[in-house]
Amino acid sequence: MRGSLAINRRTVFKLRQIGIATLGSVKIKILLCGCVALTLLAVANRNRDGSSSLWGWTSDVASLDRSSSPRGRYAIVMNTWKRYDLLKKSISHYASCPRLDSIHIIWSEPNSPSDPLKRFLNHVIFLNSRNGRQVELIFDINKEDSLNNRFKEIKDLETDAVFSIDDDVIFPCSSIEFAFTVWQSAPDTMVGYVPRMHWVDETKGKDKYGYGGWWSVWWTGTYSMVLSKAAFFHKKYLKLYTDEMPASIKEYITRNRNCEDIAMSFLVANATGAPPIWVKGKIFEIGSTGISSLGGHSERRTQCLNKFVAEFGRMPLVSTSLKAVDSRNVWFW
């Protein structure tokens, strides 16, 4: 009797162990299936490039106001110079960006834009019109050939946000939309993709500075400028640059054909006392070379820094290590 009872207990105990193991296995399988499902959802979310987020709510880009209000849209101000193929590629791309209100092409060439070029660009704009509304395309014609032209005040500009861009770089519309949302959170500062830095050059004195390119930013993890070849800023800085930038600095920029982007960084930092914001994004260079590829580029930029410090009477640039990253497009952030 006792022997049979012991056997029954052992049998019940084994059955219980088998049940627990089976239940645990089922739980593990359910958990693994859930992980796989979430992974597939994440991949699908990334491929949609700006549609719903992983958990099903509408993404920031899709839910933000797409009206024509100053806060809901932005204007592109594009600098160009005798690179018509690049200009066509750039306009063809940016015309499709959803919250773009207008494109202003800064034209400083001796000859006016040709009729075939105008027809092509206007046709591209027409093809990208949505809901009966199309982006406004404007050529801002300048008599003088100067890099200062890219920061001239634009009268009757309807948007607060200006996206300053060169004609030889392209960013995905989704990346621009993200940078725009970052700028909306800090509309008084510059928000851009190309960081640069400065440092005190103690070998030349405590009031002398050096200019650091991308590798300096990469090495130190800090920056104090974002270049206007790809940056958002408030339209009020165009007026401030036009009316308040010292004439000596403008003349220096025109004469040396360099450093207008550093001057704008000085202007904004001097007005805000705050650093810019670097946004991580994909950059596609469609041009061959630029002034940064020429010998002595860093030395000339260093000269600009010290020239501008002397004119401003101080160093207004503020260093930071902040970087804005769109977490929807990365696995680990």
Side-chain angles (χ1 to χ4, degrees):
M1 188 73 178
R2 289 181 179 177
S4 62
L5 182 60
I7 292 174
N8 289 338
R9 286 178 177 175
R10 284 197 297 268
T11 302
V12 171
F13 179 73
K14 288 182 179 180
L15 290 175
R16 184 181 299 171
Q17 283 184 317
I18 293 173
I20 292 173
T22 302
L23 182 60
S25 176
V26 171
K27 288 181 178 179
I28 291 173
K29 289 179 180 179
I30 292 174
L31 181 60
L32 289 174
C33 289
C35 290
V36 171
L38 289 175
T39 301
L40 293 175
L41 283 172
V43 171
N45 179 69
R46 295 181 69 185
N47 289 339
R48 281 196 296 269
D49 191 25
S51 58
S52 333
S53 69
L54 179 61
W55 304 110
W57 60 64
T58 305
S59 70
D60 291 339
V61 169
S63 63
L64 286 169
D65 179 23
R66 296 176 184 272
S67 69
S68 57
S69 68
R71 288 183 174 273
R73 306 182 73 81
Y74 60 89
I76 281 181
V77 175
M78 182 177 293
N79 198 51
T80 187
W81 177 259
K82 294 185 177 181
R83 301 189 291 194
Y84 309 131
D85 288 341
L86 299 187
L87 181 62
K88 290 178 180 179
K89 289 180 181 178
S90 293
I91 299 300
S92 298
H93 167 70
Y94 292 119
S96 65
C97 293
R99 286 196 285 173
L100 177 62
D101 183 77
S102 60
I103 300 176
H104 298 259
I105 301 173
I106 308 304
W107 192 271
S108 302
E109 298 181 18
N111 298 320
S112 300
S114 67
D115 290 336
L117 177 63
K118 288 182 177 179
R119 283 196 297 269
F120 177 89
L121 297 180
N122 282 313
H123 181 63
V124 167
I125 295 295
F126 174 76
L127 292 178
N128 284 280
S129 61
R130 292 179 294 273
N131 300 322
R133 186 184 184 282
Q134 67 181 42
V135 171
E136 186 178 12
L137 179 68
I138 301 169
F139 281 89
D140 291 338
I141 308 297
N142 298 279
K143 295 180 179 179
E144 180 188 18
D145 175 19
S146 172
L147 289 174
N148 293 303
N149 292 338
R150 71 184 306 166
F151 299 137
K152 277 188 176 180
E153 182 184 7
I154 300 175
K155 301 292 184 180
D156 302 322
L157 185 62
E158 294 187 0
T159 63
D160 289 341
V162 171
F163 183 50
S164 175
I165 188 76
D166 284 350
D167 61 2
D168 61 347
V169 290
I170 283 180
F171 297 86
C173 289
S174 58
S175 182
I176 297 174
E177 294 287 302
F178 173 67
F180 181 41
T181 62
V182 174
W183 176 85
Q184 287 177 309
S185 70
D188 286 332
T189 192
M190 290 184 72
V191 175
Y193 298 94
V194 187
R196 295 293 184 264
M197 67 172 293
H198 77 282
W199 69 83
V200 177
D201 190 347
E202 296 180 352
T203 63
K204 297 180 180 179
K206 64 178 182 178
D207 295 328
K208 297 297 181 180
Y209 298 89
Y211 174 84
W214 162 246
W215 290 112
S216 298
V217 175
W218 178 83
W219 182 258
T220 63
T222 62
Y223 63 97
S224 56
M225 296 171 274
V226 289
L227 301 188
S228 56
K229 69 180 294 180
F232 277 98
F233 53 79
H234 197 284
K235 68 178 180 181
K236 64 185 177 183
Y237 294 120
L238 296 178
K239 179 175 177 55
L240 197 61
Y241 191 101
T242 301
D243 296 340
E244 304 295 335
M245 181 65 72
S248 58
I249 290 181
K250 291 183 180 179
E251 292 168 2
Y252 184 91
I253 290 169
T254 299
R255 185 170 62 253
N256 292 276
R257 297 192 62 81
N258 206 332
C259 299
E260 84 288 354
D261 47 3
I262 297 179
M264 177 56 86
S265 290
F266 267 61
L267 183 78
V268 176
N270 189 62
T272 63
I277 300 176
W278 171 22
V279 174
K280 182 180 179 181
K282 294 180 180 179
I283 304 176
F284 297 95
E285 302 271 359
I286 61 175
S288 54
T289 57
I291 60 173
S292 61
S293 63
L294 302 177
H297 178 67
S298 293
E299 290 77 9
R300 286 192 291 272
R301 305 281 275 183
T302 293
Q303 292 173 3
C304 290
L305 272 179
N306 290 292
K307 168 70 173 178
F308 299 167
V309 167
E311 293 293 338
F312 274 73
R314 69 186 189 95
M315 167 53 79
L317 299 178
V318 180
S319 298
T320 182
S321 57
L322 175 70
K323 180 166 66 173
V325 179
D326 189 347
S327 60
R328 296 167 301 176
N329 297 326
V330 293
W331 287 100
F332 302 102
W333 55 279

